[in-house]
């Protein structure tokens, strides 16, 4: 996706963003009610009893702040629990999840709306007709709060549990497999000799996003052929080429900097375009569950089932009918790497558990039975290595 959209999406996932939007919405709603007052007939305003508005707004003002504080405390507790029982990488998905953020933002927005509404009522800002509008708006706010509370209560039943973390990571990984650079089985392979002049990174960090469409358009406009060396998830540094170029005698500094700008580089990996990161996090969850301090092989079995489902869906997915960019070359995802991310931690830390290793070999056998020669070969190699680890660790033959 374009880097500006990627950065905007990252900002939108932060907790304060949604809260700030709902706060602004509550403020505008409380103040804009007077603009609709002329549409209310005076006789209707006299008939409708709106005296309860003051009390309802007072209840909202006193209760919503308490509920919002409690919800924030619950989120922090769940974040800490997931970081300790699963992995901190999975906890970031919990914080950026929409349901918890929406509930917290609704409570804070309702609080701001109630406080502003009380001030406006006390100063006579609304008038008789405006009080009718604020009466019906308050009913709508109450309905929104009730819906948010019901959804929040439903989420609390699973918040902070390891199973919920696995499901969140699996959903993010499945979505990442559909990203343009992840579905790169139609990718044009780079030249084996790495031909082309390199342009190195000017930053240290992980590639978080690559604007493929922008690179294609820029390469077409300048009649360049680009070989992408750094893809989402890769670690780059000033000695690491981002890409290699051919097709022109020289590359101007301005154009070189513009091409660099199509890479978003940060300190940490993200799930959006990097399915290997999702599988790595699943492997971390399984590794922690198999540690002597936790000793929870059931979670490792759950991770194996989830990883097998994700890889099966990816292997059986239809190839993207969209032809690859004709001005870009980049390497394809390797099944060996995908299996190494998900299964090697289980094989390493679960080698002494017969139940875990049996499930691991069964999962690899299921992948080997798929009609995909590359995946079958990778699965057999990992099965052989896993069996060797198990035979070295198990005390009974």
């Amino acid at each position: 996706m374009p880097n500006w959209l990627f950065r905007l999406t990252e900002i939108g996932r932060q907790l304060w963003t949604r809260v700030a939007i709902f706060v602004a919405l509550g403020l505008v709603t409380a103040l804009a009610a007077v603009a609709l007052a002329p549409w209310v007939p005076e006789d209707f305003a006299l008939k409708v009893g709106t005296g309860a508005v003051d009390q309802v707004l007072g209840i909202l003002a006193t209760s919503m702040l308490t509920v919002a504080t409690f919800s924030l405390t619950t989120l922090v507790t769940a974040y800490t629990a997931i970081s300790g029982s699963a992995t901190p990488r999975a906890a970031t998905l919990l914080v950026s999840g929409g349901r918890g953020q929406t509930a917290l933002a609704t409570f804070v927005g309702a609080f701001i709306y109630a406080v502003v509404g009380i001030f406006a009522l006390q100063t006579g800002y609304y008038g008789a007709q405006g009080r009718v509008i604020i009466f019906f708006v308050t009913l709508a706010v109450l309905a929104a709060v009730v819906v948010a509370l019901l959804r929040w209560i439903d989420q609390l039943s699973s918040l902070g549990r390891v199973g919920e973390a696995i499901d969140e990571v699996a959903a993010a990984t499945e979505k990442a497999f559909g990203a343009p650079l992840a579905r790169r089985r139609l990718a044009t392979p780079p030249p084996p000799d790495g031909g082309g002049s390199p342009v190195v990174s000017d930053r240290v960090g992980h590639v978080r996003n690559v604007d493929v469409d922008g690179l294609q358009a820029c390469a077409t406009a300048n009649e360049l052929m680009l070989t992408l060396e750094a893809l989402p998830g890769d670690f780059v540094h000033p000695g690491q080429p981002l890409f290699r170029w051919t097709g022109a005698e020289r590359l101007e500094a301005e154009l070189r900097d513009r091409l660099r700008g199509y890479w978003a580089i940060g300190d940490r990996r993200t799930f959006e375009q990097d399915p290997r990161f999702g599988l790595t996090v699943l492997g971390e969850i399984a590794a922690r569950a198999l540690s002597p301090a936790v000793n929870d092989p059931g979670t490792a079995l759950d991770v194996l089932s989830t990883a097998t489902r994700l890889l099966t869906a990816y292997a059986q997915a239809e190839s993207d009918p969209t032809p690859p960019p004709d001005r870009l070359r980049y390497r394809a995802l390797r099944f060996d790497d995908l299996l190494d991310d998900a299964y090697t931690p289980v094989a390493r830390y679960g080698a002494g558990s017969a139940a875990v290793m049996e499930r691991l070999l069964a999962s690899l056998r299921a992948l080997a039975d798929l009609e995909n020669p590359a995946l079958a070969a990778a699965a057999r190699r990992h099965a052989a290595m896993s069996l060797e680890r198990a035979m070295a660790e198990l005390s009974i033959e």
Side-chain angles (χ1 to χ4, degrees), residues 17-389:
T17 304
R18 192 166 304 190
V19 174
I21 292 174
F22 276 62
V23 166
L25 185 61
L27 181 62
V28 171
T29 302
L31 296 178
V34 69
L36 301 176
W39 296 86
V40 180
E42 293 184 6
D43 56 343
F44 181 75
L46 295 175
K47 292 178 182 179
V48 177
T50 57
V53 174
D54 303 75
Q55 296 181 0
V56 174
L57 289 177
I59 294 172
L60 280 175
T62 55
S63 61
M64 285 299 99
L65 184 60
T66 303
V67 173
T69 304
F70 167 76
S71 301
L72 184 60
T73 304
T74 304
L75 276 178
V76 173
T77 303
Y79 182 90
T80 305
I82 288 294
S83 299
S85 60
T87 170
R89 265 64 63 188
T92 58
L93 288 176
L94 173 68
V95 174
S96 62
R99 288 186 297 174
Q101 287 191 5
T102 301
L104 180 60
T106 301
F107 302 148
V108 176
F111 167 74
I112 296 298
Y113 163 79
V115 170
V116 175
I118 290 173
F119 274 107
L121 286 174
Q122 295 298 322
T123 58
Y125 174 75
Y126 293 117
Q129 294 165 294
R131 288 179 70 92
V132 176
I133 299 298
I134 205 68
F135 173 75
F136 288 107
V137 172
T138 302
L139 292 180
V141 171
L142 277 174
V145 169
V146 170
V147 172
L149 275 173
L150 292 176
R151 296 183 63 190
W152 182 233
I153 291 171
D154 176 67
Q155 187 180 6
L156 288 177
S157 61
S158 59
L159 194 65
R161 300 173 64 178
V162 178
E164 178 75 4
I166 294 175
D167 293 340
E168 291 284 346
V169 175
T173 306
E174 187 175 15
K175 186 177 180 180
F177 270 125
L181 283 176
R183 298 183 63 184
R184 47 185 188 258
R185 279 169 286 181
L186 291 179
T188 304
D193 58 353
S197 302
V199 174
V200 300
S201 171
D202 57 351
R203 296 186 57 190
V204 176
H206 289 92
V207 177
R208 299 159 65 89
N209 182 71
V210 179
D211 186 354
V212 177
D213 294 335
L215 283 170
Q216 170 70 10
C218 187
T220 301
N222 294 276
E223 298 182 351
L224 297 173
M225 183 66 70
L226 303 180
T227 299
L228 310 188
E229 298 285 351
L231 297 176
D234 290 348
F235 178 74
V236 296
H237 50 82
Q240 168 72 33
L242 289 179
F243 64 92
R244 299 178 183 271
W245 59 274
T246 57
E249 294 183 0
R250 59 192 302 267
L251 204 63
E252 299 293 339
E254 180 182 357
L255 179 57
R256 184 185 299 111
D257 293 338
R258 188 174 5 138
L259 288 170
R260 278 200 192 104
Y262 291 113
W263 274 262
I265 300 173
D267 295 332
R268 297 170 184 85
R269 298 168 71 175
T270 56
F271 291 91
E272 283 75 17
Q273 293 193 26
D274 186 8
R276 288 193 60 188
F277 183 51
L279 294 176
T280 299
V281 173
L282 287 175
E284 289 180 359
I285 295 175
R288 178 164 296 190
L290 292 170
S291 65
V294 178
N295 192 22
D296 179 20
T299 295
L301 300 182
D302 192 5
V303 168
L304 288 173
S305 300
T306 302
T308 305
R309 173 176 60 82
L310 292 172
L311 291 170
T312 300
Y314 175 67
Q316 292 180 337
E318 295 182 0
S319 299
D320 190 352
T322 305
D326 59 344
R327 291 283 177 174
L328 306 181
R329 297 191 181 98
Y330 41 87
R331 65 184 184 274
L333 279 175
R334 297 177 64 248
F335 283 112
D336 260 323
D337 295 333
L338 297 175
L339 296 182
D340 189 50
D341 294 331
Y343 294 113
T344 297
V346 181
R348 180 182 300 118
Y349 297 105
S353 172
V356 172
M357 297 309 294
E358 286 178 356
R359 176 66 65 84
L360 174 60
L361 293 176
S363 299
L364 291 171
R365 186 182 305 114
L367 296 177
D369 290 340
L370 298 177
E371 296 180 359
N372 189 309
L375 177 58
R380 293 190 183 97
R381 281 194 293 271
H382 279 77
M385 289 188 294
S386 301
L387 182 61
E388 185 177 354
R389 290 178 185 272

